[in-house]
Amino acid sequence: MSALHPDIVSNRAVLMVTLTLLAMRVLIAAWLPLFGDEAFYWQESRVLAVSYTDLPPLTAWLIALGTALGGDTLLGVRWPFLLIGAALPLVLRHWAIWRLGNSADANRVALYAMFLPLINMGGVLALPDLPLTLLMLQAFVCLDRAADSNRARDWALLGLCLGAALLTHWRAAALCTTGLAWVILSARGRRCLRS
């Protein structure tokens, strides 16, 4: 019997831990009653709008999608957030492969990230923090790529991520101002401005 290549084992480990955590989150999400804010967002999702008094519309839109496909159940409200929670370490893994050029190290990044509290239990509650975290992370990936490649496509993807983040929560404005400060204050960012 031949030994398995270490990268294959690492890929399997990432997949197994991702699926195990997702299964645990699904069990908790199917049992845990709606948290007060979740119930409020669920009520907002029943009358879709372009914005609400407490936050932009993406959370309500995700819940509306979830209940349209999964019914007015706990899992119907939460399944889009469960998928977003499962995607976070995979986005980190993708970024690490691109940045480090080594899938074994990228797998370790993903596995370590799965033990961070926000990622570990991500999606159990239908709250805007998780989509905002995913969009912020994806914006960092896009900015990193755009700063290296200076391709219009990468800059456009960054703009889409920032726009979607602003549809998630008002706190995304801090992401935009921080990114602008990075572009102005860092040598790499100023290179982007000159080109």
Side-chain angles (χ1 to χ4, degrees):
M1 185 174 191
S2 65
L4 292 174
H5 190 275
D7 285 347
I8 294 172
V9 173
S10 295
N11 290 339
R12 287 184 182 158
V14 169
L15 181 62
M16 293 200 43
V17 172
T18 299
L19 293 176
T20 301
L21 285 175
L22 181 59
M24 290 170 40
R25 287 185 212 132
V26 167
L27 291 173
I28 294 169
W31 167 78
L32 190 67
L34 286 182
F35 173 65
D37 287 354
E38 281 183 298
F40 186 69
Y41 302 146
W42 171 69
Q43 288 295 327
E44 287 177 337
S45 77
R46 297 169 67 81
V47 181
L48 293 180
V50 295
S51 189
Y52 301 94
T53 58
D54 59 332
L55 77 157
L58 191 62
T59 302
W61 293 352
L62 287 171
I63 293 172
L65 171 69
T67 55
L69 298 176
D72 280 328
T73 64
L74 293 171
L75 280 179
V77 169
R78 293 175 173 151
W79 74 259
F81 298 87
L82 289 163
L83 291 180
I84 291 169
L88 278 171
L90 302 178
V91 171
L92 279 170
R93 180 183 179 279
H94 173 73
W95 190 11
I97 286 174
W98 176 74
R99 181 48 66 195
L100 302 173
N102 182 331
S103 65
D105 288 341
N107 287 332
R108 279 192 276 290
V109 167
L111 286 170
Y112 296 154
M114 289 183 208
F115 294 100
L116 295 171
L118 180 64
I119 294 175
N120 189 302
M121 291 309 291
V124 171
L125 300 177
L127 299 174
D129 302 299
L130 203 59
L132 180 60
T133 302
L134 179 67
L135 290 164
M136 287 172 64
L137 177 59
Q138 192 59 53
F140 294 145
V141 173
C142 291
L143 179 60
D144 193 19
R145 284 183 179 245
D148 277 358
S149 71
N150 203 23
R151 289 185 308 204
R153 182 188 76 142
D154 293 327
W155 289 109
L157 287 173
L158 172 61
L160 287 173
C161 288
L162 292 175
L166 288 167
L167 287 174
T168 304
H169 202 284
W170 310 118
R171 289 184 303 234
L175 176 67
C176 297
T177 55
T178 302
L180 181 61
W182 177 84
V183 168
I184 293 169
L185 298 175
S186 74
R188 193 173 170 211
R190 287 192 303 274
R191 251 191 336 267
C192 295
L193 285 176
R194 283 193 297 273
S195 64

